[in-house]
Amino acid sequence: MKRQAYQPILITDASRSQDDQLTSRQKRYVLMMGIRVACVIVGAVLVGAQAPLLWLWLPMVALGMVLIPWLAVLLANDRPPKEEHRLANRFQPRHRDETPPMSLTAEERPHKVIDAEP
């Protein structure tokens, strides 16, 4: 019999901690709201300078000012899906190896040798 290789227990599928998730969502929210502030400033500068093609730029800036806060709130409140709700797991379930790491077959296990003396 061929001996099984050592199989370490992998934790790479572990989800990120809630603090890490919250921190990344807060950073994303602040970044998106910063972009919104930039849209407000660019819109004010365009109107004040009476830029050419103002009819084109102003609706795009206004759209950014309206959509970005909505998207920022949605993304800030969004968390990654739980493992049992992922769509990929419904169609392709994971195949788990039921043997524990470093398991030995019956032939490989050490046996007690009992000396029978008369």
Side-chain angles (χ1 to χ4, degrees), residues 85-97:
H85 297 298
R86 289 194 177 172
L87 187 60
N89 290 339
R90 295 199 186 269
F91 296 114
Q92 297 175 353
R94 286 188 171 180
H95 300 288
R96 294 189 179 182
D97 188 12

Side-chain angles (χ1 to χ4, degrees), residues 36-78:
R36 179 185 185 219
V37 168
C39 285
V40 171
I41 292 171
V42 167
V45 169
L46 287 174
V47 169
Q50 295 178 355
L53 298 175
L54 187 62
W55 60 269
L56 176 68
W57 294 110
L58 206 54
M60 288 186 353
V61 170
L63 188 65
M65 289 187 304
V66 171
L67 286 181
I68 288 176
W70 178 69
L71 288 173
V73 170
L74 284 180
L75 293 176
N77 290 327
D78 188 29

